[in-house]
């Protein structure tokens, strides 16, 4: 797994989710190609093989980064 910045993870997660919804709405080959490219990138970055798993891992990494950035109140 590659250490990735939370903003990049957020961008990829949002892109994959948007493209997945777009593909469900209009099944164009261009949307499918863009989703495939975004999915591949997210899977490589998260070290996973499936889009749903990559989305889950990316969200966990973003949440962990936020926890590290914002200390718990005392």
């Amino acid at each position: 797994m590659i250490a990735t910045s939370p903003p990049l993870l957020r961008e990829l997660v949002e892109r994959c989710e948007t493209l997945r919804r777009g593909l469900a709405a209009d099944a164009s080959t261009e949307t499918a190609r863009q989703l495939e490219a975004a999915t591949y990138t997210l899977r490589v970055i998260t070290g996973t093989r499936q889009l749903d798993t990559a989305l889950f891992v990316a969200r966990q990494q973003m949440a962990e980064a936020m926890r590290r950035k914002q200390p718990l109140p005392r």
Side-chain angles (χ1 to χ4, degrees):
M1 187 174 353
I2 300 169
T4 306
S5 69
L8 177 58
L9 285 172
R10 185 174 21 263
E11 179 183 331
L12 286 168
V13 166
E14 289 173 0
R15 182 160 179 74
C16 286
E17 290 175 339
T18 300
L19 289 167
R20 216 162 42 166
R21 283 190 303 273
L23 189 60
D26 83 1
S28 75
T29 56
E30 180 59 21
T31 302
R33 187 195 64 71
Q34 289 176 1
L35 177 58
E36 185 177 327
T39 297
Y40 176 80
T41 302
L42 187 60
R43 288 186 303 113
V44 167
I45 287 173
T46 58
T48 60
R49 292 178 174 236
Q50 306 250 339
L51 176 57
D52 289 335
T53 306
L55 290 168
F56 177 79
V57 169
R59 288 185 186 110
Q60 281 188 317
Q61 290 178 1
M62 288 186 295
E64 181 60 32
M66 288 186 73
R67 278 192 290 277
R68 285 192 311 264
K69 188 175 182 178
Q70 299 174 356
L72 296 174
R74 296 179 189 226

